[in-house]
Amino acid sequence: MTTQRHARATRLAGFTLVEILVVIVIIGLLAGLTTTVVVGARRTVNNSIISTQMAQLSMALDEYKNRYGEYPPDLSDSDAVTRHLRKRWPRYRVDYDTFINHVTLGCDLSSQQWGKSDTLTSIDEVGSGKHEWQIKSYVSSLIFWLGGLPDENGVPSGFYASPKAPLGITAEGTPLRRPGRAKREKPLFTFERKFLGAYASSPDYDGDLPAYYPIDLDDLEGNTKSYIPAYCQGGYPIVYFRPTPNSPYGNALKKFYLADDGNLNFVSCATPYMRNFDNGTWYEEKRFQLIHPGADGMFGSNEQDSPRPGSPATQPKYNLTPEDADNLANFVERGTLESEYVED
């Protein structure tokens, strides 16, 4: 009798194989649900952080307009850049090509560690700085206009206060004599170094379309010190567009192609968004567009040959590619760009 009771108690205290499998399945389902919730919550938090940064950038750009009469150009239109230079620095009168050259030299100059006794006599002496910025892209115009020229750590530290040499070089090509002691203007936006990114130009993509891939700001050496600066959130840059009726974005050479590496294994294309493709109106046409590629790091399909159209009233959601769907933009009141599109 005692043996029978013991056997019965053993059966009641243990689990059958089926019961164990059921428990494992339930734990797996709960873990899956928890993971989905955690991932979704993390993405929501990240999107909120990026949207907050975009709002702060928008405030800085509005302040820029209050000070200088208009929003800064996105460098896609050389005539627009030249006109803006006349308005912002009327005593620094140069053409577009000279301006671009002065940007590279000015960044090199401002990132040098000049002693108080060091002097310059000609522009030929400029060339031992740590940072040379290339700003012929939408990703760099934002950090340039709001931040100014870099210091020795690559952090934007304002333009020179000289009305004749805001980039450290006069229109005649004469550098400031003691750039290390020259007064700087305070940047309109503080770009923290931990959010600064650097991009290098890759070999030509698809024949003549330049693409850019990320490089480590701390590993710049030799020729790699010449790079494209970027303000990054979540590892990806925020691009700046200043749409106008005459914007040349339809030209494939006026886009920003972002690659995952120098071999162009994975390329996405950033262009501003149109509210109505038929009449050529842009989102935030009188202001600007700030665009972040979202969690997937893709701005949009690199197969797109023209600005992607969209309108909540007229365009169905299928015009929004999967790469576009999770993009964040300053003209989206909440959520991602997908919220701007309606179902077919």
Side-chain angles (χ1 to χ4, degrees), residues 317 320 324-327 332 335-343:
K317 186 174 289 187
L320 186 67
D324 289 293
D326 70 336
N327 290 2
V332 178
T336 60
L337 197 63
E338 188 173 10
S339 64
E340 286 295 292
Y341 291 72
V342 296
E343 295 287 356

Side-chain angles (χ1 to χ4, degrees), residues 32-329:
L33 291 173
T34 302
T35 301
T36 302
V37 171
V38 170
V39 171
R42 183 179 300 170
R43 180 169 296 183
T44 299
V45 170
N46 289 338
N47 286 351
S48 297
I49 293 173
I50 295 169
S51 296
T52 299
Q53 292 297 315
M54 283 187 172
Q56 293 175 350
L57 288 168
S58 296
M59 291 174 62
L61 287 164
D62 286 335
E63 175 60 22
Y64 189 103
K65 181 183 179 182
N66 290 336
R67 289 192 187 187
Y68 306 114
E70 62 183 9
Y71 294 109
D74 61 16
L75 304 176
S76 64
D77 184 347
S78 59
D79 291 336
V81 173
T82 302
R83 290 193 301 268
H84 185 70
L85 292 176
R86 298 287 188 270
K87 178 171 289 193
R88 171 151 190 186
W89 295 306
R91 299 179 67 183
Y92 172 67
R93 301 184 67 83
V94 295
D95 58 25
Y96 177 79
D97 291 333
T98 301
F99 165 69
I100 294 296
N101 181 52
H102 282 186
V103 169
T104 302
L105 293 172
C107 290
D108 196 359
L109 178 68
S110 67
S111 64
Q112 297 183 69
Q113 300 183 33
W114 294 91
K116 292 185 178 180
S117 61
D118 292 329
T119 61
L120 290 173
T121 58
S122 73
I123 201 171
D124 296 330
E125 297 179 39
V126 178
S128 59
K130 293 184 178 181
H131 301 275
E132 292 179 357
W133 286 359
Q134 305 295 320
I135 64 168
K136 284 188 176 182
S137 79
Y138 311 113
V139 73
S140 58
S141 56
L142 178 69
I143 200 171
F144 174 77
W145 292 114
L146 293 183
L149 303 173
D151 61 14
E152 63 272 14
N153 295 315
V155 177
S157 301
F159 296 106
Y160 289 104
S162 170
K164 291 184 177 181
L167 305 182
I169 303 167
T170 66
E172 294 74 28
T174 304
L176 294 174
R177 189 164 179 264
R178 287 190 173 89
R181 301 176 62 181
K183 184 179 179 181
R184 297 276 197 106
E185 297 175 346
K186 185 179 180 180
L188 284 171
F189 187 86
T190 300
F191 293 94
E192 299 181 53
R193 194 177 193 280
K194 64 181 179 179
F195 296 129
L196 296 180
Y199 286 81
S201 179
S202 70
D204 287 350
Y205 165 66
D206 195 20
D208 60 353
L209 303 178
Y212 307 93
Y213 63 96
I215 56 178
D216 192 339
L217 192 64
D218 293 318
D219 291 337
L220 296 174
E221 58 182 29
N223 293 330
T224 60
K225 73 176 181 179
S226 179
Y227 63 94
I228 298 167
Y231 180 60
C232 297
Q233 287 292 327
Y236 304 117
I238 296 176
V239 297
Y240 170 78
F241 291 103
R242 178 70 181 94
T244 66
N246 297 321
S247 294
Y249 305 120
N251 183 338
L253 295 177
K254 300 297 185 181
K255 298 178 182 178
F256 180 73
Y257 286 86
L258 179 62
D260 60 341
D261 57 39
N263 295 320
L264 304 177
N265 293 322
F266 199 61
V267 182
S268 68
C269 172
T271 61
Y273 290 92
M274 301 193 81
R275 181 175 293 278
N276 189 305
F277 189 75
D278 293 330
N279 60 22
T281 57
W282 305 91
Y283 280 98
E284 295 291 345
E285 189 166 50
K286 295 183 179 180
R287 296 183 74 226
F288 50 82
Q289 291 185 27
L290 295 173
I291 303 172
H292 185 276
D296 64 355
M298 290 285 285
F299 284 104
S301 172
N302 58 300
E303 301 297 328
Q304 186 70 44
D305 292 328
S306 62
R308 291 176 291 280
S311 169
T314 61
Q315 298 294 340
K317 186 174 289 187
Y318 62 73
N319 278 331
L320 186 67
T321 68
E323 294 85 1
D324 289 293
D326 70 336
N327 290 2
L328 289 92

